[in-house]
Amino acid sequence: MNTSIIRYILGHVLRIEALLLLLPCMIAVYFRESQGWYYLLTAALCLVLGMLMAWKKPKSSIFYLKEGCIATAMSWIFLSVFGCLPFCISGEIPSFTNALFETISGFTTTGASILEDVEALSHCALFWRSFTHWIGGMGVLVFLLAIIPMSGGSNINLMRAESPGPSVGKLVPKIGVTARILYGIYFGLTLLQLLLLYVNGMPLFDAVTTSIGTAGTGGFGIRGDSIAGYSDTLQWIVTVFMILFGINFNFYYFLLFRQFRKALGMQEVRAYLLIILASVTFITVNIRHIAGDLFHALTQAAFQVASIITTTGFATTDFNQWPEASKTILVMLMFVGACAGSTGGGIKVSRFLISIQSVLCELHSYIHPKAITTVKMDKKPIDREVVRATNVYFVTFLLIFAISVFAVSLEGHDQITNFTAVAATINNIGPGLSQVGPAANFNFFSHFSKYVLMFDMLAGRLEFFPLLILLHPTVWKDFATRKKKKTIT
């Protein structure tokens, strides 16, 4: 195993985090907050460690999917541990476990919080908390590939390990150019939302934090009522952009380069929008008597459906009080998630489409044993390896979900709380139902349950296998063997 390239990548990740930590320092200077020194101190620590780790270039820059998965999992752990230090040492979130929970929730774009009073935080803490969403939305390693040229031709393994969805391909021949195109689209949409929010009356700081939180489909709000305190116009702007960030970014690439037929022919995007339309229509009718009138019912339904299916987690109302049918739809949308290749979480629409077609093909083969059936997406046959990987993903998801629900249930909370807490974290959504509803938080869980949920957040964002590979005994055996060889040499 090429451990030197893993060390080299981790060094660059820490250096990038040091650079990103300077932004909350600037916010602290603007608002004259002393907490900015803690971010500067953490940035210096990340810079020094990063330079030490990336000082010596590896002899071989070639790495395989195993190294890509390990580097990805360790990068996200490093990001979270160092990213939580300013919260902890400043005393704004004094408990390390709680600070780590909040930071992992931020980087994985989950949005589940342990904070009782979010408005008590400093401006620099509120910005860093939201900015972790923007960093984690597209992925720090995709950002790394966009700004740092890495040779060897194996970079696709990093993107494949970090990018959500059943398969990852290149938009253009060079992976670095692909990463820059993706980040260009990401930044452009974020800036457009920021401008629209600001022009329509949202304060600049609120517009910045809301935009970067929406872009990463994260959901950390800077107010206790999340987005409920803003006007209907601002809520609709956020609703539209949540939906836009949940669409496969290949769709925007095709539009950008005027390949309209390919964009409009994307089956996953059409299914995603159809699910949203059907869900909004049903919930609007179902909650009309609660909302008071049709427009407010539509506004609330559209916002919450967009927030849940894209796994953003913002809220404009306590949907815990909605009728059971509407809450059931929201829980189902938690699992469906957004499109592959978007910043959204969940299982992904494309996986459900592949699975449904697999079932139909299996039924067809029972009826017509000699017929040759193939699973297709966008009128193109899907490789059997993708179908197999999709089936394995579902099995892994169910196993980890069941184990996590059992582990959390040891505390004795009600079943709805346990089930939706795990669903909200493993699908990177944020709020659940009952004790973890949109008007509540996750602080009442024990440290043990919080670490279970932190694992779920990381596993869900990385789609299980990078984190599971890191925990595999063979990997640690390879590390030990490599270290022993170096000692002998």
Side-chain angles (χ1 to χ4, degrees):
M1 184 166 62
N2 191 352
T3 55
S4 58
I5 190 67
I6 296 174
R7 167 191 51 79
Y8 186 70
I9 291 170
L10 290 175
H12 277 302
V13 167
L14 286 178
R15 290 166 68 178
I16 290 173
E17 185 165 26
L19 180 65
L20 297 173
L21 279 163
L22 296 179
L23 290 174
C25 294
M26 296 177 188
I27 299 294
V29 170
Y30 180 81
F31 287 101
R32 298 180 180 181
E33 295 172 336
S34 60
Q35 289 89 343
W37 288 107
Y38 301 109
Y39 292 87
L40 188 61
L41 177 64
T42 307
L45 176 62
C46 290
L47 181 62
V48 171
L49 289 176
M51 290 181 68
L52 290 174
M53 295 177 72
W55 185 265
K56 185 179 179 181
K57 289 187 177 182
K59 293 180 181 179
S60 173
S61 57
I62 297 175
F63 56 95
Y64 299 98
L65 186 57
K66 178 175 70 173
E67 285 90 346
C69 288
I70 294 168
T72 299
M74 293 186 71
S75 293
W76 283 74
I77 292 171
F78 271 49
L79 273 174
S80 300
V81 170
F82 286 95
C84 81
L85 292 181
F87 291 138
C88 201
I89 60 179
S90 68
E92 295 197 85
I93 307 179
S95 165
F96 176 78
T97 298
N98 285 347
L100 185 62
F101 185 98
E102 198 78 7
T103 308
I104 289 177
S105 181
F107 278 120
T108 59
T109 72
T110 303
S113 181
I114 48 80
L115 294 173
E116 304 283 348
D117 183 12
V118 65
E119 295 180 37
L121 293 179
S122 61
H123 287 87
C124 58
L126 288 171
F127 175 81
W128 177 243
R129 187 168 166 265
S130 295
F131 191 51
T132 54
H133 287 330
W134 199 85
I135 300 167
M138 188 61 70
V140 69
L141 295 180
V142 176
F143 181 70
L144 176 67
L145 294 173
I147 63 172
I148 299 175
M150 296 179 68
S151 59
S154 305
N155 301 337
I156 187 65
N157 288 323
L158 277 181
M159 185 174 278
R160 186 177 291 127
E162 187 178 51
S163 300
S167 63
V168 173
K170 303 176 185 178
L171 296 177
V172 293
K174 292 186 178 180
I175 195 69
V177 178
T178 297
R180 283 192 285 275
I181 290 172
L182 291 173
Y183 255 99
I185 296 170
Y186 190 46
F187 181 80
L189 285 173
T190 306
L191 183 60
L192 179 60
Q193 183 187 358
L194 193 161
L195 291 173
L196 288 174
L197 290 174
Y198 182 65
V199 167
N200 283 277
M202 184 177 282
L204 181 59
F205 183 76
D206 296 38
V208 171
T209 52
T210 302
S211 297
I212 57 182
T214 305
T217 59
F220 277 153
I222 62 170
R223 294 185 177 185
D225 60 359
S226 189
I227 309 296
Y230 299 109
S231 67
D232 288 344
T233 301
L234 294 175
Q235 290 179 20
W236 273 106
I237 292 171
V238 175
T239 299
V240 170
F241 276 90
M242 285 191 292
I243 294 170
L244 291 178
F245 281 108
I247 291 175
N248 191 319
F249 273 48
N250 286 0
F251 177 81
Y252 300 120
Y253 172 82
F254 293 142
L255 290 180
L256 190 64
F257 289 93
R258 299 182 179 181
Q259 299 179 32
F260 301 115
R261 184 173 294 179
K262 286 186 177 180
L264 296 175
M266 293 183 70
Q267 185 179 350
E268 182 185 27
V269 175
R270 296 200 308 269
Y272 164 75
L273 295 175
L274 183 61
I275 292 169
I276 291 174
L277 179 61
S279 301
V280 170
T281 301
F282 180 89
I283 292 177
T284 299
V285 175
N286 196 228
I287 67 168
R288 184 177 177 179
H289 65 287
I290 297 175
D293 60 73
L294 185 61
F295 177 74
H296 283 95
L298 177 62
T299 301
Q300 291 181 7
F303 189 96
Q304 292 310 148
V305 166
S307 181
I308 295 299
I309 195 171
T310 62
T311 70
T312 305
F314 283 139
T316 56
T317 185
D318 185 5
F319 53 79
N320 206 29
Q321 306 301 318
W322 282 2
E324 290 301 321
S326 293
K327 289 193 289 185
T328 301
I329 288 177
L330 292 182
V331 171
M332 292 169 67
L333 294 179
M334 287 182 183
F335 292 94
V336 174
C339 297
S342 71
T343 61
I347 293 174
K348 305 292 180 301
V349 175
S350 58
R351 284 198 175 96
F352 279 99
L353 291 175
I354 291 170
S355 297
I356 290 168
Q357 286 193 55
S358 297
V359 171
L360 294 176
C361 286
E362 189 70 16
L363 286 173
H364 188 75
S365 66
Y366 273 59
I367 299 169
H368 305 285
K370 295 183 179 180
I372 299 174
T373 57
T374 56
V375 178
K376 294 182 179 181
M377 182 74 73
D378 301 335
K379 298 180 180 180
K380 295 178 182 178
I382 294 177
D383 191 275
R384 288 188 177 273
E385 181 61 26
V386 175
V387 177
R388 183 199 65 81
T390 300
N391 295 334
V392 171
Y393 174 90
F394 272 107
V395 172
T396 308
F397 182 96
L398 289 173
L399 284 173
I400 293 179
F401 186 88
I403 293 169
S404 298
V405 170
F406 174 75
V408 172
S409 70
L410 295 175
E411 286 191 36
H413 302 298
D414 65 274
Q415 190 63 34
I416 295 177
T417 296
N418 298 332
F419 185 90
T420 58
V422 174
T425 50
I426 202 169
N427 290 308
N428 305 131
I429 294 165
L433 296 174
S434 191
Q435 294 182 62
V436 290
N441 59 64
F442 287 69
N443 194 38
F444 64 89
F445 282 112
S446 67
H447 282 0
F448 170 75
S449 291
K450 285 175 183 173
Y451 279 104
V452 171
L453 297 174
M454 280 188 257
F455 174 85
D456 288 341
M457 287 188 277
L458 283 169
R461 173 58 182 85
L462 299 178
E463 303 206 324
F464 306 120
F465 294 102
L467 200 60
L468 294 178
I469 288 173
L470 180 62
L471 299 176
H472 199 283
T474 304
V475 170
W476 293 100
K477 186 177 179 181
D478 288 345
F479 270 119
T481 304
R482 177 90 177 184
K483 190 175 181 180
K484 187 176 180 180
K485 285 182 179 178
K486 282 188 175 182
T487 306
I488 295 172
T489 304

